[in-house]
Amino acid sequence: MFPRLFAGEGVRVKGGMRRIVSGGITEETTVLGIPCLTLRDNTERPETITIGTNELIGTDPSKLSLALARLMAGQWKQGAIPPKWDGKAAERIVEHLERVLAQK
């Protein structure tokens, strides 16, 4: 494995894979189209699995070797950017607040 990194730091290895401590990296890899393996039994961002490039591998070492073999063989899912991950959340929040406040 790779040495432990501080949140936000990463090491790029063959196939574009990164080993990161930060949970937010699953979002970043999804947006950038980079394969991501989550070595936990759960994730706070399930859309990165169902729509994005993340796969929940879990803590079973035998699953990791199978996932890495798929990655290195170029058989990783392409993924997509989830709806509303367009960087316009603040605009939508302001529009909603304006509508709510206009009703009062």
Side-chain angles (χ1 to χ4, degrees):
M1 296 304 275
F2 303 102
R4 188 168 179 90
L5 303 169
F6 295 105
E9 293 184 63
V11 173
R12 184 177 288 266
V13 297
K14 185 175 180 182
M17 186 181 76
R18 295 174 186 250
R19 195 268 191 195
I20 302 289
V21 177
S22 170
I25 197 66
T26 61
E27 298 163 344
E28 294 174 22
T29 56
T30 286
V31 169
L32 296 172
I34 298 171
C36 181
L37 289 74
T38 297
L39 306 178
R40 295 177 26 186
D41 294 321
N42 56 45
T43 179
E44 295 84 17
R45 298 286 186 239
E47 61 273 22
T48 65
I49 295 169
T50 58
I51 300 171
T53 59
N54 185 19
E55 283 202 22
L56 192 62
I57 306 303
T59 56
D60 179 351
S62 67
K63 291 182 180 179
L64 176 59
S65 61
L66 294 172
L68 287 173
R70 283 195 342 269
L71 174 68
M72 297 305 179
Q75 299 171 347
W76 204 257
K77 64 182 179 178
Q78 290 299 308
I81 298 174
K84 298 189 179 176
W85 281 29
D86 56 6
K88 298 181 181 179
E91 293 172 26
R92 286 191 289 274
I93 291 168
V94 169
E95 289 171 6
H96 176 75
L97 290 173
E98 287 175 341
R99 283 193 306 271
V100 169
L101 293 173
Q103 295 174 358
K104 292 187 176 197

